[in-house]
Amino acid sequence: MNRRTLLLGGCALATLAACGDSSKFKSYNGPAVTQIQLFKSQRMMYLLHGDKVLESYKVGLGGDPVGPKQFEGDGKTPEGLYYINRRNPNSAYYLSIGISYPNPQQVAFAESQGKKPGGDIFIHGRDGKNKGKGRDWTAGCIAVKDKEIRDIYAMVRDGTPIFIFP
């Protein structure tokens, strides 16, 4: 009887382990993501390989999503061409990948206005505590569900271009 209980318990643990992946880090062996396209007005982000959409995600944006980011604290998500340039496995928002905002022209414009351009723009998760905040709640970042940022983090490499459209 003891042996039977041990065997059933072991099978139950193995089944649970197979069903739920609690790890933040996944592996990805599919086609390379060659670009990301984000359409702010549609709140949609697409991961592409060439012209083929590999994945699509509904996103949350900055608290004031209309118009391009120009200054620190304006609550806007940038618009234009950027690149994925860093990753943060210990993000306050579960996982995050960085976007190369601001570019030199954006820095120069902000400084000409006597302001700072802002920075630290990421694609990130919600980390539980931000689940009830509504659609557009970030300070200019792009938010997806935690399970989605796990996939994005695995699929997207540093250097990948991201086109952010109005």
Side-chain angles (χ1 to χ4, degrees), residues 38-41 43-44 58-79 93 99 119-126 133-144 164-165:
L38 173 72
F39 295 86
K40 288 172 52 175
S41 63
R43 307 298 192 286
M44 288 298 296
K58 291 182 181 179
V59 300
L61 301 172
D64 184 6
V66 177
K69 182 164 197 61
Q70 294 181 309
F71 309 114
E72 183 175 73
D74 64 10
K76 296 183 181 295
T77 300
E79 295 175 1
Y93 300 98
I99 297 172
D120 285 336
I121 302 297
F122 287 86
I123 301 170
H124 60 65
R126 296 181 74 98
K133 287 194 174 178
R135 181 168 67 175
D136 298 321
W137 58 271
T138 76
C141 294
I142 301 157
V144 295
I164 304 176
F165 300 102

Side-chain angles (χ1 to χ4, degrees), residues 78-159:
E79 295 175 1
L81 169 61
Y82 303 95
Y83 296 89
I84 300 303
N85 65 354
R86 63 201 183 278
R87 46 194 61 240
N88 184 355
N90 300 310
S91 172
Y93 300 98
Y94 194 66
L95 289 171
S96 60
I97 56 175
I99 297 172
S100 63
Y101 174 88
N103 64 36
Q105 294 82 13
Q106 291 162 323
V107 171
F109 174 75
E111 289 176 351
S112 76
Q113 304 298 305
K115 298 183 178 186
K116 295 178 181 179
D120 285 336
I121 302 297
F122 287 86
I123 301 170
H124 60 65
R126 296 181 74 98
D127 193 38
K129 64 183 177 252
N130 299 294
K131 284 190 179 170
K133 287 194 174 178
R135 181 168 67 175
D136 298 321
W137 58 271
T138 76
C141 294
I142 301 157
V144 295
K145 294 176 182 175
D146 289 351
K147 66 182 180 179
E148 294 169 340
I149 193 61
R150 282 196 306 262
D151 293 337
I152 296 165
Y153 196 90
M155 294 173 74
V156 174
R157 298 285 154 243
D158 289 359

Side-chain angles (χ1 to χ4, degrees), residues 43-63:
R43 307 298 192 286
M44 288 298 296
M45 181 172 69
Y46 302 92
L47 306 186
L48 291 97
H49 175 77
D51 62 355
K52 181 182 177 210
V53 174
L54 299 174
E55 295 291 340
S56 62
Y57 304 96
K58 291 182 181 179
V59 300
L61 301 172

